[in-house]
Amino acid sequence: MHCPFCRHPDSRVVDSREADEGQAIRRRRQCPECGRRFTTVETAVLSVVKRSGVTEPFSREKVVRGVRRACQGRDVADDALYQLAQKVEETVRANGSAEIPSNEVGLAILGPLRDLDEVAYLRFASVYRSFSSAEDFEQEIKDLRVHRAESARTESDESAAR
């Protein structure tokens, strides 16, 4: 790491801490040449492998754009979209791989989107899973109803336990 002040090609790490909820490491460094201190932030690069084989860096913004299209005309706050993108990134990073297939990113979007807005979920799922008939929609709606019933049952069990 070059010193940003004198451009000396070496530095000494004085302190290291987790940052960004464990997604980055913040390092305090000192230059042995000029003695000045500076901070660096290191993050692991997460790459998405597309179906075509092309690799590109993971982008929360790209997740937000895709989900925003599915939410068009729906009352979904931008903050909720950014929180969803953060959940998706945390999910794919938890996989532990530096490269993740794009279909796994899509799967990671489906869960939080289903909880955020069911109509947007159906829109996204119809494109992502390539629905080809009304029966595909009917089956997905049945699955949504089962999920909603299970979620309601879990919530009532948790409130009864309190």
Side-chain angles (χ1 to χ4, degrees):
M1 172 57 63
H2 289 273
C3 173
F5 305 107
C6 71
R7 304 300 301 155
H8 185 70
D10 196 18
S11 64
R12 180 173 69 87
V13 175
V14 178
D15 183 39
S16 292
R17 298 176 189 225
E18 278 189 5
D20 195 22
E21 298 177 3
Q23 301 300 315
I25 297 174
R26 181 183 170 275
R27 297 196 195 279
R28 199 70 182 126
R29 297 177 176 269
Q30 184 171 8
C31 175
E33 186 69 23
C34 68
R36 295 182 73 181
R37 291 185 173 197
F38 57 97
T39 302
T40 60
V41 178
E42 300 171 20
T43 58
V45 175
L46 178 63
S47 298
V48 176
V49 181
K50 310 209 49 120
R51 285 185 209 141
S52 65
V54 174
T55 302
E56 64 181 43
F58 176 85
S59 166
R60 281 189 192 179
E61 278 302 314
K62 195 166 182 180
V63 171
V64 169
R65 278 195 311 269
V67 173
R68 184 175 281 135
R69 258 183 263 129
C71 293
Q72 201 166 13
R74 307 288 301 158
D75 188 24
V76 177
D78 279 348
D79 285 348
L81 296 179
Y82 288 107
Q83 286 176 351
L84 182 141
Q86 181 176 348
K87 286 179 190 173
V88 169
E89 183 174 2
E90 289 169 0
T91 301
V92 296
R93 281 192 185 276
N95 184 9
S97 259
E99 290 187 344
I100 186 159
S102 60
N103 68 317
E104 287 188 33
V105 175
L107 290 173
I109 290 171
L110 287 173
L113 184 56
R114 179 179 50 216
D115 296 334
L116 179 65
D117 187 277
E118 291 178 345
V119 172
Y121 167 79
L122 282 172
R123 289 175 178 169
F124 190 88
S126 71
V127 173
Y128 179 73
R129 293 187 176 152
S130 304
F131 287 4
S132 59
S133 66
E135 288 78 24
D136 292 338
F137 280 96
E138 289 173 355
Q139 183 58 49
E140 197 63 42
I141 290 169
K142 284 179 189 173
D143 293 346
L144 260 176
R145 288 184 176 138
V146 168
H147 175 75
R148 189 185 317 147
E150 287 172 356
S151 294
R153 191 171 32 257
T154 302
E155 287 177 16
S156 68
D157 290 347
E158 288 174 357
S159 38
R162 290 183 206 150

